[in-house]
mmCIF file with all atom_site columns, all heavy atoms in Angstrom:
data_model
loop_
_atom_site.group_PDB
_atom_site.id
_atom_site.type_symbol
_atom_site.label_atom_id
_atom_site.label_alt_id
_atom_site.label_comp_id
_atom_site.label_asym_id
_atom_site.label_entity_id
_atom_site.label_seq_id
_atom_site.pdbx_PDB_ins_code
_atom_site.Cartn_x
_atom_site.Cartn_y
_atom_site.Cartn_z
_atom_site.occupancy
_atom_site.B_iso_or_equiv
_atom_site.pdbx_formal_charge
_atom_site.auth_seq_id
_atom_site.auth_comp_id
_atom_site.auth_asym_id
_atom_site.auth_atom_id
_atom_site.pdbx_PDB_model_num
ATOM   1  N N   . GLY A 1 27 ? 129.911 195.562 246.636 1.00 61.00 ? 27  GLY A N   1
ATOM   2  C CA  . GLY A 1 27 ? 130.576 194.957 247.786 1.00 61.00 ? 27  GLY A CA  1
ATOM   3  C C   . GLY A 1 27 ? 131.636 193.970 247.382 1.00 61.00 ? 27  GLY A C   1
ATOM   4  O O   . GLY A 1 27 ? 132.506 193.669 248.179 1.00 61.00 ? 27  GLY A O   1
ATOM   5  N N   . ASN A 1 28 ? 131.617 193.435 246.159 1.00 70.00 ? 28  ASN A N   1
ATOM   6  C CA  . ASN A 1 28 ? 132.648 192.494 245.749 1.00 70.00 ? 28  ASN A CA  1
ATOM   7  C C   . ASN A 1 28 ? 133.455 193.052 244.595 1.00 70.00 ? 28  ASN A C   1
ATOM   8  O O   . ASN A 1 28 ? 132.897 193.589 243.650 1.00 70.00 ? 28  ASN A O   1
ATOM   9  C CB  . ASN A 1 28 ? 132.014 191.182 245.270 1.00 70.00 ? 28  ASN A CB  1
ATOM   10 C CG  . ASN A 1 28 ? 131.363 190.446 246.412 1.00 70.00 ? 28  ASN A CG  1
ATOM   11 O OD1 . ASN A 1 28 ? 131.853 190.479 247.517 1.00 70.00 ? 28  ASN A OD1 1
ATOM   12 N ND2 . ASN A 1 28 ? 130.244 189.817 246.129 1.00 70.00 ? 28  ASN A ND2 1
ATOM   13 N N   . LEU A 1 29 ? 134.760 192.866 244.661 1.00 75.00 ? 29  LEU A N   1
ATOM   14 C CA  . LEU A 1 29 ? 135.592 193.187 243.500 1.00 75.00 ? 29  LEU A CA  1
ATOM   15 C C   . LEU A 1 29 ? 135.526 191.990 242.570 1.00 75.00 ? 29  LEU A C   1
ATOM   16 O O   . LEU A 1 29 ? 135.201 190.886 242.985 1.00 75.00 ? 29  LEU A O   1
ATOM   17 C CB  . LEU A 1 29 ? 137.037 193.417 243.959 1.00 75.00 ? 29  LEU A CB  1
ATOM   18 C CG  . LEU A 1 29 ? 137.303 194.734 244.684 1.00 75.00 ? 29  LEU A CG  1
ATOM   19 C CD1 . LEU A 1 29 ? 138.752 194.780 245.139 1.00 75.00 ? 29  LEU A CD1 1
ATOM   20 C CD2 . LEU A 1 29 ? 137.003 195.909 243.790 1.00 75.00 ? 29  LEU A CD2 1
ATOM   21 N N   . TYR A 1 51 ? 132.759 202.260 243.626 1.00 90.00 ? 51  TYR A N   1
ATOM   22 C CA  . TYR A 1 51 ? 132.112 201.887 244.871 1.00 90.00 ? 51  TYR A CA  1
ATOM   23 C C   . TYR A 1 51 ? 131.922 203.134 245.723 1.00 90.00 ? 51  TYR A C   1
ATOM   24 O O   . TYR A 1 51 ? 132.655 204.114 245.557 1.00 90.00 ? 51  TYR A O   1
ATOM   25 C CB  . TYR A 1 51 ? 132.976 200.876 245.641 1.00 90.00 ? 51  TYR A CB  1
ATOM   26 C CG  . TYR A 1 51 ? 132.960 199.490 245.064 1.00 90.00 ? 51  TYR A CG  1
ATOM   27 C CD1 . TYR A 1 51 ? 134.097 198.939 244.489 1.00 90.00 ? 51  TYR A CD1 1
ATOM   28 C CD2 . TYR A 1 51 ? 131.817 198.696 245.115 1.00 90.00 ? 51  TYR A CD2 1
ATOM   29 C CE1 . TYR A 1 51 ? 134.101 197.654 243.982 1.00 90.00 ? 51  TYR A CE1 1
ATOM   30 C CE2 . TYR A 1 51 ? 131.809 197.405 244.609 1.00 90.00 ? 51  TYR A CE2 1
ATOM   31 C CZ  . TYR A 1 51 ? 132.960 196.885 244.050 1.00 90.00 ? 51  TYR A CZ  1
ATOM   32 O OH  . TYR A 1 51 ? 132.947 195.628 243.533 1.00 90.00 ? 51  TYR A OH  1
ATOM   33 N N   . ASN A 1 53 ? 132.967 203.862 248.509 1.00 87.00 ? 53  ASN A N   1
ATOM   34 C CA  . ASN A 1 53 ? 134.214 204.271 249.186 1.00 87.00 ? 53  ASN A CA  1
ATOM   35 C C   . ASN A 1 53 ? 135.231 204.862 248.209 1.00 87.00 ? 53  ASN A C   1
ATOM   36 O O   . ASN A 1 53 ? 136.352 205.162 248.614 1.00 87.00 ? 53  ASN A O   1
ATOM   37 C CB  . ASN A 1 53 ? 134.808 203.073 249.947 1.00 87.00 ? 53  ASN A CB  1
ATOM   38 C CG  . ASN A 1 53 ? 135.242 201.949 249.008 1.00 87.00 ? 53  ASN A CG  1
ATOM   39 O OD1 . ASN A 1 53 ? 135.275 202.119 247.783 1.00 87.00 ? 53  ASN A OD1 1
ATOM   40 N ND2 . ASN A 1 53 ? 135.602 200.811 249.585 1.00 87.00 ? 53  ASN A ND2 1
ATOM   41 N N   . THR A 1 55 ? 136.619 203.417 245.500 1.00 92.00 ? 55  THR A N   1
ATOM   42 C CA  . THR A 1 55 ? 137.359 202.436 244.704 1.00 92.00 ? 55  THR A CA  1
ATOM   43 C C   . THR A 1 55 ? 136.702 202.304 243.319 1.00 92.00 ? 55  THR A C   1
ATOM   44 O O   . THR A 1 55 ? 135.488 202.103 243.227 1.00 92.00 ? 55  THR A O   1
ATOM   45 C CB  . THR A 1 55 ? 137.391 201.058 245.408 1.00 92.00 ? 55  THR A CB  1
ATOM   46 O OG1 . THR A 1 55 ? 138.191 201.188 246.598 1.00 92.00 ? 55  THR A OG1 1
ATOM   47 C CG2 . THR A 1 55 ? 137.975 199.977 244.518 1.00 92.00 ? 55  THR A CG2 1
ATOM   48 N N   . HIS A 1 72 ? 142.143 202.198 244.077 1.00 91.00 ? 72  HIS A N   1
ATOM   49 C CA  . HIS A 1 72 ? 141.582 202.600 245.372 1.00 91.00 ? 72  HIS A CA  1
ATOM   50 C C   . HIS A 1 72 ? 141.803 204.092 245.555 1.00 91.00 ? 72  HIS A C   1
ATOM   51 O O   . HIS A 1 72 ? 142.868 204.601 245.256 1.00 91.00 ? 72  HIS A O   1
ATOM   52 C CB  . HIS A 1 72 ? 142.231 201.803 246.496 1.00 91.00 ? 72  HIS A CB  1
ATOM   53 C CG  . HIS A 1 72 ? 141.970 200.330 246.417 1.00 91.00 ? 72  HIS A CG  1
ATOM   54 N ND1 . HIS A 1 72 ? 140.694 199.813 246.563 1.00 91.00 ? 72  HIS A ND1 1
ATOM   55 C CD2 . HIS A 1 72 ? 142.775 199.278 246.176 1.00 91.00 ? 72  HIS A CD2 1
ATOM   56 C CE1 . HIS A 1 72 ? 140.745 198.492 246.421 1.00 91.00 ? 72  HIS A CE1 1
ATOM   57 N NE2 . HIS A 1 72 ? 142.000 198.133 246.189 1.00 91.00 ? 72  HIS A NE2 1
ATOM   58 N N   . ALA A 1 73 ? 140.786 204.762 246.055 1.00 84.00 ? 73  ALA A N   1
ATOM   59 C CA  . ALA A 1 73 ? 140.913 206.208 246.288 1.00 84.00 ? 73  ALA A CA  1
ATOM   60 C C   . ALA A 1 73 ? 141.739 206.430 247.555 1.00 84.00 ? 73  ALA A C   1
ATOM   61 O O   . ALA A 1 73 ? 141.644 205.645 248.490 1.00 84.00 ? 73  ALA A O   1
ATOM   62 C CB  . ALA A 1 73 ? 139.546 206.839 246.467 1.00 84.00 ? 73  ALA A CB  1
HETATM 63 C C1  . NAG B 2 .  ? 135.961 199.661 248.719 1.00 94.31 ? 201 NAG B C1  1
HETATM 64 O O1  . NAG B 2 .  ? 134.860 198.805 248.624 1.00 94.31 ? 201 NAG B O1  1
HETATM 65 C C2  . NAG B 2 .  ? 135.064 197.660 247.800 1.00 94.31 ? 201 NAG B C2  1
HETATM 66 C C3  . NAG B 2 .  ? 133.730 196.930 247.740 1.00 94.31 ? 201 NAG B C3  1
HETATM 67 O O2  . NAG B 2 .  ? 133.271 196.634 249.009 1.00 94.31 ? 201 NAG B O2  1
HETATM 68 C C4  . NAG B 2 .  ? 136.175 196.822 248.352 1.00 94.31 ? 201 NAG B C4  1
HETATM 69 O O3  . NAG B 2 .  ? 136.382 195.681 247.558 1.00 94.31 ? 201 NAG B O3  1
HETATM 70 C C5  . NAG B 2 .  ? 137.449 197.683 248.393 1.00 94.31 ? 201 NAG B C5  1
HETATM 71 O O4  . NAG B 2 .  ? 138.500 196.949 248.934 1.00 94.31 ? 201 NAG B O4  1
HETATM 72 C C6  . NAG B 2 .  ? 137.165 198.936 249.231 1.00 94.31 ? 201 NAG B C6  1
HETATM 73 N N1  . NAG B 2 .  ? 138.330 199.785 249.120 1.00 94.31 ? 201 NAG B N1  1
HETATM 74 C C7  . NAG B 2 .  ? 139.053 200.110 250.179 1.00 94.31 ? 201 NAG B C7  1
HETATM 75 C C8  . NAG B 2 .  ? 140.212 201.023 249.930 1.00 94.31 ? 201 NAG B C8  1
HETATM 76 O O5  . NAG B 2 .  ? 138.803 199.705 251.308 1.00 94.31 ? 201 NAG B O5  1
#
Side-chain angles (χ1 to χ4, degrees):
N28 292 325
L29 286 176
Y51 285 113
N53 64 10
T55 292
H72 296 295

